[in-house]
Amino acid sequence: MRLQLGCRLGFWLPSATPMILLLNVHYSRVSDLEQPQLLITEPAVPIESYRDSFGNWCNRLLAPAGDFTVSTAGTIRDSGAADPKNFDAGQIPVESLPIDVLTFLLPSRYCETDILSTFAWKQFGQGPAGWQRVQAVCDFVHERISFGYQHSRATRTAAEALNEGVGVCRDFTHLAITLCRCLNIPARYCTGYISDVGQAPPYAPMDFAAWMEVYLGGQWWVFDPRNNDTRFGRVLIARGRDAADVPLTHSFGEHQLKGFQVWIDPVDGEPVA
């Protein structure tokens, strides 16, 4: 299937402000785009692009004072398949993990493994390992946290999400990542688009989403504790240790978000699978 995707963000800035934006489709999906996905600003400003330490595509610019808009759009080809599954994927002992995977076992800004380790082992240590253990974590987080945009707080950590029982998709993801890391299962944070393909209406307003990838059986697998169901049309933008590594917009100064629009929809008149 073919999906139209993009976003448009509007800001008001009291003075010229440096910004870093992670809004482009991840390099692993670039070959699926029908044309290059450009970042457009209004007014136009010079943009410097670079790769961060996780391989994500970043755009650096100096936003002028006043109203400022950034947008990007494109059409991407997607297989239409659901997230792959392998119920036999097993956990790899820490001493046998690849070196570049080890960082996703360590605590990070929003994932306090030192605080939740005892809880994680008490809650999940006696059950099946591997895929079934990760799914048990996702089931627990999905039931534990009540979703609502009114609960959004940029500083909420995994331990706070567990204690408060409320949050948005990043909180579901941070808690699930932390519990997996506590159980010696590498897990990393992902952000991007998730379509409503295969979902029953009515549809909620589209937003960027967060999910996690977990290292089992020698490769990374997608798990989505927020939705915890079968999803189609998932498009990655960036991945890191947690949300601190992959803010979609990072402003080095005061700003107000005046407009926010995100979309990912099947191309009209074409089959979705």
Side-chain angles (χ1 to χ4, degrees), residues 21-256:
L21 308 173
L22 282 78
L23 297 172
N24 293 93
V25 168
H26 194 260
Y27 73 84
S28 61
R29 295 297 306 273
V30 165
S31 63
D32 295 325
L33 289 168
E34 294 191 351
Q35 63 278 326
Q37 188 191 25
L38 303 178
L39 187 70
I40 299 172
T41 69
E42 303 172 25
V45 297
I47 299 175
E48 180 183 5
S49 300
Y50 67 95
R51 298 280 187 201
D52 67 11
S53 59
F54 297 99
N56 303 310
W57 191 246
C58 306
N59 294 286
R60 175 187 181 187
L61 54 82
L62 180 63
D67 290 322
F68 182 66
T69 301
V70 296
S71 62
T72 184
T75 302
I76 193 167
R77 296 181 298 272
D78 191 88
S79 68
D83 298 326
K85 298 183 183 300
N86 181 359
F87 299 110
D88 295 324
Q91 186 171 336
I92 296 177
V94 174
E95 63 271 20
S96 300
L97 289 169
I99 296 297
D100 62 338
V101 172
L102 292 176
T103 190
F104 299 106
L105 281 178
L106 304 178
S108 54
R109 166 69 179 85
Y110 295 106
C111 300
E112 323 102 298
T113 54
D114 51 341
I115 295 177
L116 293 184
S117 180
T118 299
F119 173 84
W121 282 105
K122 182 178 180 180
Q123 186 75 26
F124 305 104
Q126 304 306 312
W131 190 282
Q132 288 74 21
R133 179 168 288 173
V134 176
Q135 187 58 59
V137 167
C138 290
D139 293 343
F140 171 84
V141 172
H142 184 75
E143 294 299 322
R144 177 78 174 202
I145 299 181
S146 176
F147 179 87
Y149 288 113
Q150 71 274 21
H151 303 309
S152 177
R153 189 175 77 241
T155 59
R156 182 182 287 117
T157 67
E160 290 171 339
L162 177 66
N163 292 332
E164 296 171 18
V166 296
V168 292
C169 58
R170 61 177 268 159
D171 301 306
F172 287 74
T173 304
H174 283 150
L175 179 54
I177 285 173
T178 305
L179 295 174
C180 285
R181 290 179 186 172
C182 289
L183 299 165
N184 296 331
I185 303 171
R188 61 191 184 188
Y189 184 95
C190 300
T191 184
Y193 300 88
I194 301 179
S195 79
D196 287 323
V197 171
Q199 300 297 302
Y203 304 123
M206 186 58 64
D207 194 356
F208 289 115
W211 62 89
M212 68 176 181
E213 292 176 345
V214 173
Y215 195 79
L216 294 170
Q219 68 182 83
W220 293 99
W221 301 91
V222 167
F223 285 84
D224 187 345
R226 157 68 179 98
N227 294 298
N228 205 30
D229 60 7
T230 301
R231 288 284 164 155
F232 306 86
R234 189 186 301 273
V235 181
L236 180 67
I237 290 177
R239 56 166 68 106
R241 293 168 298 179
D242 61 28
D245 289 331
V246 290
L248 295 167
T249 63
H250 189 115
S251 171
F252 295 88
E254 182 183 353
H255 70 279
Q256 296 178 19

